[in-house]
Amino acid sequence: MMFDSHCHLNDENLYPKIDEVIEAAKKTGVKKFLVVGYDKNSSLLAVKIADKYEECYAAIGFHPTEIEGVSEEDYNKVMSLSSHKKVVAIGEIGLDYHWVKDEEKRENQKKWFIKQIEYANEHHLPISIHNRESTEDCVEILKEHTPKYSGVMHCYSGSVETMDIVLNLGMYIALGGTVTFTNAKTPKEVAEVVPLDRLLIETDSPYLTPHPHRGEKNEPKYICLVLEEIARLKDMSKKHLEDVIYKNTCRLFNIDE
Ligand code: NI
């Protein structure tokens, strides 16, 4: 049994064929999906999907590249859904310095990240974190505003050292398609040493398609490739790894197995 801890079935590439995508994934052993929002519409759609499909859960929030110009009204509308029984996390939230170079806009990202962590803390929810080329500031914020109900570094691509800091804050590490890339040195190192009880897997579909399907649109059905590669790197039975990761994911998001 696998749990795709971060996918975008709410994306325009997947949503039109969502029944097919879910069925194909279930055939490969995926039992649950966390559909992650990144702005107003995608968050509302994530909740709608979670409402309709028993195996789907939702995360709601504003991604760092989507925060410019968000009104207080839209923010409140999205966040009011946090009391919905299938909303299990605030995310994806965080920092992205790859796409945003402007200092003022980066400051604004920090403000929004902190605001959403505090919201999650007040509402007893874990967070799903997006961090791209912003590790130093991200870690500093997490130290000062530690998620009280934990959280996950989604598609973790940082170093082993940063991983240790994040683990010390009580958080989880999610590995995705990048761990399968033939030239992925650091994600493979992280996979080898990450403690079993803090590891999640994800697809981030339709992005980050695992090897050997790079170039195609990603789908949750490819998550088995991520699991296989981690099992190989950890020199561990796939079945055991799969069970542990599934339990970790349910524990973090407070979901009955
Ligand atoms: Ni994502």
Side-chain angles (χ1 to χ4, degrees), residues 6 8 36 63 92 130 154 202 204 207:
H6 191 116
H8 300 289
V36 181
H63 185 283
E92 56 189 291
H130 172 100
H154 130 68
E202 61 165 73
D204 200 18
Y207 310 106

Side-chain angles (χ1 to χ4, degrees), residues 24-35:
K26 281 165 90 173
K27 281 192 191 133
T28 67
V30 182
K31 201 184 168 201
K32 294 185 187 338
F33 307 77
L34 179 58
V35 183

Side-chain angles (χ1 to χ4, degrees), residues 9 11-24 53 206 216-222:
L9 299 178
D11 182 275
E12 60 184 9
N13 287 293
L14 297 177
Y15 186 61
K17 49 172 185 173
I18 185 168
D19 290 302
E20 210 181 295
V21 170
I22 289 177
E23 273 320 302
Y53 297 90
E216 291 173 38
K217 290 262 183 303
N218 199 5
E219 285 190 28
K221 69 179 177 189
Y222 289 141

Side-chain angles (χ1 to χ4, degrees), residues 48-132:
K48 189 176 152 193
I49 292 169
D51 239 344
K52 180 169 173 193
Y53 297 90
E54 201 194 338
E55 52 275 79
C56 293
Y57 297 82
I60 54 170
F62 293 85
H63 185 283
T65 62
E66 306 300 324
I67 51 173
E68 291 297 326
V70 174
S71 68
E72 203 56 29
E73 192 191 341
D74 283 350
Y75 175 76
N76 291 336
K77 183 172 182 195
V78 167
M79 294 319 221
S80 71
L81 292 170
S82 67
S83 58
H84 187 290
K85 65 180 188 314
K86 291 190 83 185
V87 172
V88 297
I90 299 298
E92 56 189 291
I93 61 174
L95 303 174
D96 191 315
Y97 293 174
H98 177 79
W99 294 110
V100 176
K101 309 286 182 200
D102 181 78
E103 257 325 303
E104 211 174 302
K105 287 187 175 161
R106 287 181 174 184
E107 284 306 312
N108 200 26
Q109 288 192 359
K110 290 186 201 171
K111 224 176 64 193
W112 274 81
F113 185 24
I114 294 167
K115 173 173 157 150
Q116 293 181 92
I117 295 173
E118 284 173 352
Y119 186 95
N121 285 347
E122 277 163 31
H123 294 81
H124 303 223
L125 288 168
I127 60 173
S128 180
I129 300 170
H130 172 100
N131 167 46
R132 190 160 182 204

